[in-house]
Amino acid sequence: MKFQPESLRVYLVIGSQNVDDNPAEVVRIVQEACAAGVTAVQYREKDHSKLNQAQTVALGQQIRSITEAAGVPLYVDDDLPLALAIGADGIHVGQGDTPVTEIHAVAPNLLIGLSVHDLDELANSKADLAVVDYLGVGPVYTTTTKEKAKAAILPAGVASVAAKTDLPIVAIGGIQTGNVVTLAGSPIAGVAVISAITASADIAQSVQILMGEEK
Amino acid sequence: MKFQPESLRVYLVIGSQNVDDNPAEVVRIVQEACAAGVTAVQYREKDHSKLNQAQTVALGQQIRSITEAAGVPLYVDDDLPLALAIGADGIHVGQGDTPVTEIHAVAPNLLIGLSVHDLDELANSKADLAVVDYLGVGPVYTTTTKEKAKAAILPAGVASVAAKTDLPIVAIGGIQTGNVVTLAGSPIAGVAVISAITASADIAQSVQILMGEEK
C-alpha cells in the first residue's frame, strides 16, 4: 500500500487493554469506526494486554479483515512479526524500538510510523527518517491510556515539530472531541485517538467531530 | 505441509543464542545440516537471544529459504506471530505456552509439536492431543543448552511415554553422537539436537551418526 498523508486524518489506536480486555469489543469498535470513516487503525496490544499469542493473532486477523474491507490502512504497534503475520500495511515504532532502517530492510513494503515526543526528540533521533512515512507527535495533552506518557507538549509543541520536518504528522495524546478544536489550523495531517473513540457512546458522531466536520 | 513422522528422524533445534549470538553462523549451520540430510529444523530464538525483532525476522526468513529449498519442514519455537510471519510449516510449544487448540484455531495449516517431559506430564497434560502432530520428549540426558531443563528421563523414560501415546515422538535433551546409540531400538521417530550439530566440527558426519547409519 502506498502511503497517503490523508490517511492520518482520524487515526484510531486500539487494543484489548483499552476495552476491559474484551477482544469482541475491539472488533465492534473497529467495525463502527471504519463505518464512521476513520482513515487509519493501529492495533496496539500492549501495556498489560491479557491476550495470549493465539488470541493476539486471532484479533489481529479480524481487525485486518475489517480494515481491508473498508480500505483503511492497518498499522501494528511495535511488533514486526505480528504485523507480517496478519498482513498489516504498516508498523508504528517508538524511538527505543527496533531501528526503522532494520525494519525497512526486512519488510520493504511495510509503511513505517515513528513516535516523536517533541522538538528535542526529533533533533536527537538516530532514526533514518528517509524510510519513515509519518511521525506521531505528542502527547499533545495529558493522557491516561498510555503508560509512562511524557509531558504534554500542547498544540504549540506540535507546531514546533512540524516546522522542522517535511514528514506528515499525526498528533496524539489526550485528544478528545472536546479539545480537538484547539488543533484546528495546526500544520498536521490528522489526529490519533484511543479513548475519544473507544469510550464514545456515539462513535459516528465522535469520528465526525474528530474529522473537523463539526468544528 | 502434511506431517510425516519420518521428518523427525534428525531434528535440528537452533537459534542465535546457541552460536555466540551470530546469525551468520546459524545460516551456515542450517545450510550444512540441510545438505547433510537433517529432516526437520526448529528456529528457537530464546533464552537471552540478543536479536531484535527485525534481526529475528530476517534470520527466520533466511532459514525459511534454506529449508524450503531443501524440502525440510521448519518449526518455530513458541512464537505464533513469528511462525506466520516467516511462513514456517509448524510451531513447537511447551505445556505452559499458548494452548494448542487456540493455535490450531487461528492457524489450522500449521503443524504442531508439543513438549512432554515425562509420563506424569503426559498424564496431566491439559492439551488436546488431537491437534498435535508429534511429541518432543525429554530431556533424555542432562543438557546445558536449555535453561531450566528438567531431570533427565533416560531412554527408559522415553519408552514409557511412547507406550502411552500413538503420537510420533522425537527424543530431545543431551543427545550427542556419542550417546545416540543408547536410543537404538527405542520406540521413537527420531532425535532432536542442538549442540550435537551446532558444535560439530563435521556436521555431515554428525548427522550421519545421528541418523543411525553408522550405529
Side-chain angles (χ1 to χ4, degrees):
Chain A
M1 180 178 274
K2 191 180 175 305
F3 177 73
Q4 297 179 306
E6 306 81 64
S7 66
L8 300 177
R9 192 164 174 198
V10 180
Y11 181 127
L12 169 64
V13 180
I14 190 167
S16 63
Q17 71 283 345
N18 302 126
V19 289
D20 296 329
D21 307 308
N22 183 351
E25 185 66 356
V26 174
V27 170
R28 178 190 70 80
I29 291 168
V30 171
Q31 270 169 333
E32 285 193 33
C34 284
V38 294
T39 53
V41 171
Q42 180 187 129
Y43 181 32
R44 183 169 179 278
E45 204 57 47
K46 229 174 174 178
D47 292 347
H48 304 303
S49 159
K50 296 199 172 88
L51 304 192
N52 67 26
Q53 292 180 359
Q55 291 160 341
T56 300
V57 170
L59 179 54
Q61 289 174 337
Q62 287 178 279
I63 294 174
R64 172 70 294 189
S65 296
I66 298 164
T67 52
E68 196 158 40
V72 170
L74 172 63
Y75 295 84
V76 167
D77 182 87
D78 185 27
D79 192 328
L80 179 60
L82 182 62
L84 296 173
I86 65 172
D89 301 297
I91 185 168
H92 187 96
V93 294
Q95 297 290 330
D97 298 333
T98 309
V100 292
T101 43
E102 291 189 43
I103 292 172
H104 184 68
V106 170
N109 295 324
L110 224 47
L111 304 178
I112 301 180
L114 177 68
S115 290
V116 171
H117 169 47
D118 59 8
L119 200 54
D120 266 8
E121 198 169 272
L122 178 66
N124 294 317
S125 173
K126 294 190 177 82
D128 178 2
L129 298 181
V131 301
V132 171
D133 293 288
Y134 74 86
L135 299 180
V137 177
V140 182
Y141 294 110
T142 302
T143 175
T144 54
T145 47
K146 187 169 181 179
E147 296 188 351
K148 301 180 201 159
K150 298 181 180 174
I153 63 169
L154 304 177
V158 179
S160 70
V161 175
K164 292 291 183 186
T165 180
D166 290 332
L167 284 170
I169 288 175
V170 63
I172 187 166
I175 299 169
Q176 299 287 347
T177 51
N179 66 20
V180 68
V181 67
T182 61
L183 285 160
S186 287
I188 58 175
V191 292
V193 300
I194 299 179
S195 63
I197 289 178
T198 62
S200 170
D202 185 340
I203 289 176
Q205 189 184 44
S206 295
V207 170
Q208 216 176 11
I209 294 171
L210 294 169
M211 284 222 175
E213 288 172 11
E214 292 192 0
K215 274 180 198 167
Chain B
M1 180 178 274
K2 190 180 175 308
F3 177 74
Q4 297 180 305
E6 306 81 64
S7 66
L8 300 177
R9 191 163 175 198
V10 180
Y11 181 127
L12 168 64
V13 180
I14 190 167
S16 63
Q17 71 283 345
N18 302 124
V19 289
D20 296 328
D21 307 306
N22 183 352
E25 186 66 357
V26 173
V27 170
R28 179 191 68 81
I29 291 167
V30 171
Q31 270 170 334
E32 284 194 34
C34 284
V38 294
T39 53
V41 171
Q42 180 186 129
Y43 181 31
R44 183 171 181 277
E45 204 57 45
K46 229 175 173 177
D47 292 348
H48 304 303
S49 159
K50 295 200 173 89
L51 303 193
N52 66 26
Q53 292 181 357
Q55 291 162 339
T56 300
V57 169
L59 179 54
Q61 289 173 337
Q62 288 178 279
I63 294 173
R64 172 70 294 191
S65 295
I66 298 164
T67 53
E68 194 156 44
V72 170
L74 171 62
Y75 295 85
V76 168
D77 182 85
D78 184 25
D79 192 327
L80 178 60
L82 182 62
L84 296 174
I86 66 173
D89 301 297
I91 186 167
H92 186 95
V93 293
Q95 297 290 330
D97 297 333
T98 309
V100 291
T101 43
E102 291 189 43
I103 291 172
H104 185 68
V106 170
N109 295 324
L110 223 48
L111 304 178
I112 301 181
L114 177 70
S115 289
V116 170
H117 170 46
D118 59 9
L119 200 54
D120 266 7
E121 198 170 270
L122 178 65
N124 295 317
S125 174
K126 294 189 176 84
D128 177 3
L129 298 181
V131 300
V132 171
D133 293 287
Y134 73 86
L135 299 179
V137 178
V140 182
Y141 295 110
T142 303
T143 176
T144 55
T145 47
K146 187 169 179 178
E147 295 187 351
K148 302 180 200 159
K150 299 181 178 176
I153 62 169
L154 304 177
V158 179
S160 70
V161 174
K164 292 290 184 187
T165 179
D166 290 332
L167 283 170
I169 287 175
V170 63
I172 187 167
I175 300 170
Q176 299 288 345
T177 51
N179 65 23
V180 68
V181 67
T182 62
L183 284 160
S186 286
I188 58 174
V191 292
V193 300
I194 299 179
S195 64
I197 288 178
T198 62
S200 169
D202 185 338
I203 288 176
Q205 188 185 45
S206 295
V207 170
Q208 215 173 13
I209 294 170
L210 294 169
M211 285 223 174
E213 288 172 11
E214 293 192 4
K215 276 178 196 166

